[in-house]
Amino acid sequence: MNPLLVKLYTGDDVRRRTLAAPVRFGALLAAARTVAAGGPDSTPPLYYCDDEGDFVTLASDAELDEARACAPNPDALVVAVGASGKQQLARQRAAAPASAASFATASPASAAPSAVASPAAVPSNLQSLIDSAVQNAVAASLEQLQASMSASLSSSAASSAAPSPFGTFSSAFHGQPSTPVSPFQPAPAPAPAPVRPASPRFVAEEQRRIDSELERAIALSRQQAEAAEAAQVRERLEATRRAAEERRREEEEERRREAEAKALAQAQAQAEAEAEARRKQEEQKRQEEEEEKAEAERRRKEQKHDANKKNRNVKKKKKRKQKQNVDAKN
């Protein structure tokens, strides 16, 4: 499966993202959260425009597959983030209906620039650009040269073939008999004069001019090609820098979330440990109280037993004394 090029409409801005294959709805939602107005913790609704021009909600992997199937190019998708993005996309489609379709028909490989070209690939691209620009410049210069030479030859032939303003009276200066010309009759058309061939000096000058024009065109084409290649390299470097910056921010956000989750887990573990310690203390205190109660009950029983024993001994002594008294009387 190819990567997916996504254009995200947020209401007041348009962002572009390339999702690596295999593309799932979770990756699309994560990309939408990075540009949503509510921040990375929000869950904005996503919409796409189907082949009938209706906005359809996008909320699962199956709907994402259906959206790619409805798109003119399954590797490029236009998505509206939230209600504001939906309104922005609707306004743009009403103003220029072909803009979204032209984006959808572009493939990610041709539309999205890849990483910075390797040093080995830059000279070949530059050479091809220079060759095409030089060919175009040479063809344009040759066409201009042919047009200018044709115009100069036509003007020289017309000047040599133009009639004299003095009518046939000018024939006297060429050794021809003059004939009276009526002021009410037009002068007869003279015979066309033969075109004189260009002199070697004129040809050499034209050749030098052509060579200088070609050299200037080639230099200009090379400069334009180098500037275009440098602009492409700068754009790729900037895209790489932005991607690295975005990855860095995402990594920092992930580390921050992990630290918060770890701190929360530690706080929960500490609270559970404190609760367990309090429960054990209460249990120990309860056991001690029960032991104290049992000890008090045992001492009370022992005291009662001692008192009963003492009372029995007293009664025995009393009975024995009474018996001794009775025996003494007898």
Side-chain angles (χ1 to χ4, degrees), residues 65 88 126 131 160 194 199 221 228 255 269-270 276:
D65 296 337
Q88 180 189 10
L126 180 61
D131 293 340
S160 62
S199 62
S221 300
R255 286 195 295 269
Q270 185 177 359
E276 183 68 18

Side-chain angles (χ1 to χ4, degrees), residues 11-312:
D12 55 355
D13 197 3
V14 181
R15 299 295 183 90
R16 190 168 175 167
R17 295 287 185 273
T18 300
L19 305 181
V23 181
R24 295 288 86 190
F25 176 74
L28 178 60
L29 181 59
R33 284 176 175 173
T34 60
V35 300
D41 296 332
S42 62
T43 305
L46 305 181
Y47 306 95
Y48 72 95
C49 192
D50 62 0
D51 50 359
E52 296 179 355
D54 298 328
F55 284 98
V56 183
T57 303
L58 186 59
S60 64
D61 293 338
E63 291 176 348
L64 176 59
D65 296 337
E66 183 66 20
R68 298 184 69 177
C70 292
N73 185 359
D75 296 335
L77 188 62
V78 177
V79 177
V81 181
S84 58
K86 182 179 178 181
Q87 294 175 0
Q88 180 189 10
L89 182 57
R91 288 194 301 268
Q92 182 168 354
R93 288 178 63 85
S99 60
S102 61
F103 167 78
T105 55
S107 62
S110 61
S114 60
V116 180
S118 61
V122 171
S124 62
N125 296 335
L126 180 61
Q127 187 63 35
S128 61
L129 290 174
I130 291 174
D131 293 340
S132 62
V134 167
Q135 291 177 1
N136 296 332
V138 170
S141 300
L142 289 177
E143 290 178 358
Q144 293 179 359
L145 178 60
Q146 290 177 359
S148 61
M149 291 182 67
S150 300
S152 61
L153 292 176
S154 300
S155 62
S156 62
S159 62
S160 62
S164 175
F166 299 100
T168 56
F169 290 100
S170 62
S171 61
F173 296 97
H174 298 282
Q176 297 179 359
S178 61
T179 56
V181 178
S182 174
F184 303 100
Q185 295 179 357
V195 180
R196 292 178 299 176
S199 62
R201 180 179 179 183
F202 174 77
V203 173
E205 291 178 354
E206 288 293 326
Q207 186 65 35
R208 285 194 298 271
R209 186 176 68 82
I210 291 172
D211 293 340
S212 63
E213 290 289 340
L214 287 177
E215 290 178 357
R216 284 197 297 271
I218 291 172
L220 180 61
S221 300
R222 288 179 177 174
Q223 292 177 358
Q224 292 176 352
E226 291 175 356
E229 184 65 23
Q232 291 180 0
V233 172
R234 285 196 298 271
E235 289 178 358
R236 293 170 183 172
L237 287 173
E238 184 65 20
T240 304
R241 186 189 64 78
R242 288 196 298 268
E245 184 68 19
E246 184 175 356
R247 284 196 300 271
R248 184 184 64 79
R249 287 197 298 269
E250 291 177 355
E251 290 175 356
E252 290 179 354
E253 183 67 19
E254 185 67 23
R255 286 195 295 269
R256 183 183 66 80
R257 292 179 180 177
E258 290 179 355
E260 291 178 354
K262 186 177 180 180
L264 181 60
Q266 290 178 355
Q268 291 178 352
Q270 185 177 359
E272 291 177 356
E274 292 177 354
E276 183 68 18
R278 285 195 300 270
R279 188 186 64 79
K280 288 182 178 179
Q281 289 178 359
E282 292 175 356
E283 183 69 21
Q284 185 177 1
K285 185 177 181 181
R286 186 180 61 81
Q287 290 179 357
E288 290 177 355
E289 290 177 353
E290 291 179 353
E291 289 178 357
E292 289 178 358
K293 289 180 180 180
E295 183 66 20
E297 183 68 19
R298 186 182 62 79
R299 285 196 299 269
R300 187 183 64 81
K301 288 181 178 180
E302 287 181 355
Q303 290 176 0
K304 186 177 180 181
H305 183 268
D306 292 342
N308 293 332
K309 185 177 180 181
K310 184 177 181 180
N311 291 331
R312 286 193 300 269

